[in-house]
């Protein structure tokens, strides 16, 4: 009986009480005004929410996006979405194992910590590589008995066996839309069954179902050519299959995949396989109910901000990978983009003050991560004393796993320090021999977030972090956090090359040299 309800203090009359044609017409007009007002409010809310709802994803990367590095990323940018490495289904839920559920639980403990310590469900996407819909559904349903995730993702974009893919899944699935649809449907049904059985913890949300793929595929590098309208129609049909099967989110790497004859590194470099953002933009336009994330070619805060501010774009979020591995502290700037930052806004015109704020946050993040790493190392030592395999609880990560995040920060600061020291004055200005201002040759080497002195200060912080881990590794777990006097300026002992080399004593020369090689290829 609608006459009992009000909108803006105006009673909404019931059509059931109408006794004349004129009354019916008046009541219909009133109801139309109510509906129009509600629709205008919804439209206004939707148009104004693009920025606040805009997500930022840190891509899945083999040998990198394990729990320790995700922890550092989360400290630096709590609002960012993090991803696991791509997990092959056979590594989680083997086909011929006597008790695949027990195997799965142990595998997840190794990767995520125990279910009691696990705290990533609000921002972590589990990416799985497979072409087996039935076993995928069983795996997802079993995993969600102890762990929850923000999303369950199907890898349909990995181009090469060498990069963790396979000839029958990864990007090759883009050639089989019906199979991709069955994978999505199987995952969705598993989530519905978990929801029906009440497997999710109180307050937890049901994970979304997503697919990460390319904008196209070519069998061989010799087949590579500019994409055309027929290629877009194929991609559109593929995405339509994903949506019809129950997919909520599609992540489009804006390069085609070369399925054979090209290394994983070359497969993701724009000089060899060109970027094309138009397909991702068109998919976002043609599928308004589907979240579309653009991946590929975003290499700086300036580029990210430019893409986020494009009012003509319907892209719902962006994903990056190599940029954040090379410059993890840039996540402090990403976090400021994701949310209104009152402290930064108040100091928007004071460059030195703004950099000092970022330096304080970086120092706090490094210290917090080091505390976490020491705790994890302690748990690992305790676990080993009980079990020679070192399994269970929080003790599943090696010292190399725990030290890698700090190494990545050191390498970023080393590059910034060398660049500033050798080329630019401390205030960031530089002029050539004729007195003309010289543009920074690399946008990412502008020390936008940190001053020269701030970089020196962080050198001291990381030096002590490495010392703490080194003492722990060699001292049987006797680790005491030392009180540190406030930083009072460089003493002339800042040496990032030496600090970078100090990781050899922590993880071994072979591992440290491999880190350097891998980073040079990012």
């Amino acid at each position: 009986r609608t006459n009992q309800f009000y909108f803006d203090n105006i009673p909404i009359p019931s059509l059931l009480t109408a006794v004349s044609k004129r009354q019916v017409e008046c009541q219909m007009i009133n109801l139309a005004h109510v509906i129009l007002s509600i629709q205008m409010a919804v439209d206004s809310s939707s148009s104004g929410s693009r920025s606040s709802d805009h997500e930022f994803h840190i891509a899945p990367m083999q040998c990198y996006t394990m729990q320790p590095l995700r922890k550092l990323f989360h400290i630096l940018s709590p609002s960012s979405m993090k991803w696991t490495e791509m997990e092959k289904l056979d590594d989680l839920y083997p086909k011929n194992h006597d008790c695949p559920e027990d195997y799965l639980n142990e595998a997840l403990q190794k990767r995520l910590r125990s279910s009691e310590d696990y705290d990533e469900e609000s921002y972590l996407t589990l990416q799985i590589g497979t072409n087996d819909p039935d076993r995928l559904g069983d795996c997802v349903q079993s995993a969600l008995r102890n762990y929850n995730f923000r999303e369950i993702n199907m890898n349909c974009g990995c181009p090469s066996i060498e990069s963790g893919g396979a000839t029958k899944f990864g990007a090759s699935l883009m050639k089989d839309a019906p199979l991709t649809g069955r994978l999505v449907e199987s995952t969705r049904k598993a989530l519905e069954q978990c929801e029906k059985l009440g497997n999710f913890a109180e307050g937890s949300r049901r994970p979304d179902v997503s697919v990460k793929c390319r904008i196209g595929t070519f069998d061989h590098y010799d087949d590579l050519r500019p994409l055309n309208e027929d290629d877009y129609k194929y991609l559109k049909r593929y995405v339509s299959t994903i949506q019809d099967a129950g997919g909520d989110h599609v992540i489009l790497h804006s390069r085609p995949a070369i399925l054979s004859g090209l290394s994983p590194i070359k497969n993701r470099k724009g000089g060899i396989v060109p970027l094309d953002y138009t397909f991702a933009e068109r998919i976002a336009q043609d599928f308004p109910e589907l979240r579309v994330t653009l991946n590929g070619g975003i290499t700086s805060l300036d580029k990210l901000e430019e893409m986020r501010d494009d009012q003509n774009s319907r892209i719902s979020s962006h994903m990056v990978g190599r940029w954040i591995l090379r410059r993890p502290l840039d996540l402090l700037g990403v976090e400021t983009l994701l949310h209104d930052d009152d402290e930064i806004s108040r100091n928007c015109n004071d460059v030195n003050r703004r950099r000092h704020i970022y330096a304080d946050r970086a120092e706090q993040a490094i210290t917090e991560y080091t505390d976490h790493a020491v705790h994890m190392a302690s748990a690992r030592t305790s676990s080993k004393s009980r079990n020679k395999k070192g399994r269970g609880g929080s003790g599943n990560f090696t010292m190399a796993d725990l030290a890698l995040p700090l190494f990545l920060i050191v390498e970023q600061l080393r590059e910034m320090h060398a660049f500033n020291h050798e080329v630019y004055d401390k205030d960031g200005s530089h002029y050539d021999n004729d007195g003309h201002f010289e543009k920074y040759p690399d946008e990412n080497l502008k020390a936008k977030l940190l001053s020269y002195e701030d970089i020196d200060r962080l050198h001291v912080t990381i030096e002590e972090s490495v010392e703490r881990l080194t003492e722990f590794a060699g001292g049987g777990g006797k680790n005491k956090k030392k009180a540190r006097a406030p930083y009072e300026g460089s003493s002339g002992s800042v040496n990032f090359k030496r600090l970078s080399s100090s990781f050899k004593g922590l993880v071994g020369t072979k591992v440290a040299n491999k880190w350097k090689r891998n980073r040079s290829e990012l």
Side-chain angles (χ1 to χ4, degrees), residues 75-89:
I75 294 170
L76 292 167
S77 178
S79 305
S80 298
M81 301 296 113
K82 290 82 183 178
W83 288 51
T84 65
E85 301 173 274
M86 191 273 285
E87 299 289 354
K88 296 179 186 178
L89 183 63

Side-chain angles (χ1 to χ4, degrees), residues 431-488:
Y431 294 83
D432 63 20
N433 293 332
D434 296 324
H436 299 117
F437 179 76
E438 186 176 74
K439 181 178 173 60
Y440 287 91
D442 183 340
E443 289 292 305
N444 258 331
L445 285 177
K446 293 182 190 176
K448 277 189 170 182
L449 300 183
L450 300 170
S451 70
Y452 183 86
E453 185 178 55
D454 291 331
I455 294 171
D456 284 4
R457 172 155 63 105
L458 293 178
H459 179 281
V460 176
T461 304
I462 299 180
E463 197 171 34
E464 293 179 354
S465 295
V466 174
E467 185 179 332
R468 288 183 67 194
L469 285 177
T470 302
E471 283 182 4
F472 187 92
K478 297 178 181 179
N479 180 277
K480 294 182 179 179
K481 186 176 179 180
K482 297 181 179 180
R484 182 172 77 243
Y487 177 75
E488 297 179 352

Side-chain angles (χ1 to χ4, degrees), residues 312-435:
N312 295 319
S313 174
R314 295 189 65 92
I315 294 293
S316 59
S317 54
H318 295 91
M319 172 180 279
V320 307
R322 289 172 289 151
W323 161 34
I324 294 303
L325 287 184
R326 289 194 66 86
R327 299 177 60 86
L329 293 181
D330 284 9
L331 283 172
L332 294 168
V334 170
E335 187 67 12
T336 299
L337 288 180
L338 294 177
H339 290 291
D340 292 334
D341 191 321
D342 292 339
E343 190 175 17
I344 293 297
S345 297
R346 287 196 304 270
N347 294 279
C348 62
N349 296 320
D350 187 341
V351 175
N352 290 331
R353 174 59 185 156
R354 192 170 68 244
R355 287 175 172 173
H356 186 70
I357 293 169
Y358 280 124
D360 286 345
R361 293 177 182 179
E363 185 174 28
Q364 292 166 9
I366 293 166
T367 301
E368 184 178 343
Y369 175 76
T370 303
D371 291 343
H372 172 76
V374 167
H375 170 74
M376 297 283 280
S378 175
R380 181 172 181 270
T381 300
S382 300
S383 177
K384 277 190 171 182
S385 67
R386 296 190 303 269
N387 182 337
K388 290 183 179 180
K389 293 184 179 180
R391 295 176 179 170
S394 301
N396 301 303
F397 301 101
T398 66
M399 184 57 72
D401 297 333
L402 300 173
L404 176 61
L406 293 173
F407 175 82
L408 294 175
I409 293 176
V410 168
E411 288 298 289
Q412 175 184 355
L413 294 175
R414 181 180 64 80
E415 287 181 350
M416 294 169 67
H417 183 271
F419 183 81
N420 287 350
H421 181 67
E422 294 170 7
V423 183
Y424 289 93
D425 297 332
K426 290 187 179 181
D427 64 359
S429 63
H430 179 70
Y431 294 83
D432 63 20
N433 293 332
D434 296 324

Side-chain angles (χ1 to χ4, degrees), residues 28-72:
M28 291 292 287
I29 290 171
N30 284 341
L31 285 172
H33 286 165
V34 170
I35 293 170
L36 181 60
S37 299
I38 294 172
Q39 185 62 51
M40 289 175 65
V42 170
D43 290 345
S44 174
S45 173
S46 299
S47 63
S49 65
R50 182 179 183 273
S51 177
S52 61
D53 292 341
H54 196 104
E55 292 180 342
F56 177 82
H57 294 257
I58 303 174
M61 292 171 280
Q62 293 298 113
C63 303
Y64 284 107
T65 50
M66 298 176 287
Q67 194 277 340
L69 187 56
R70 294 197 306 266
K71 179 68 175 180
L72 174 67

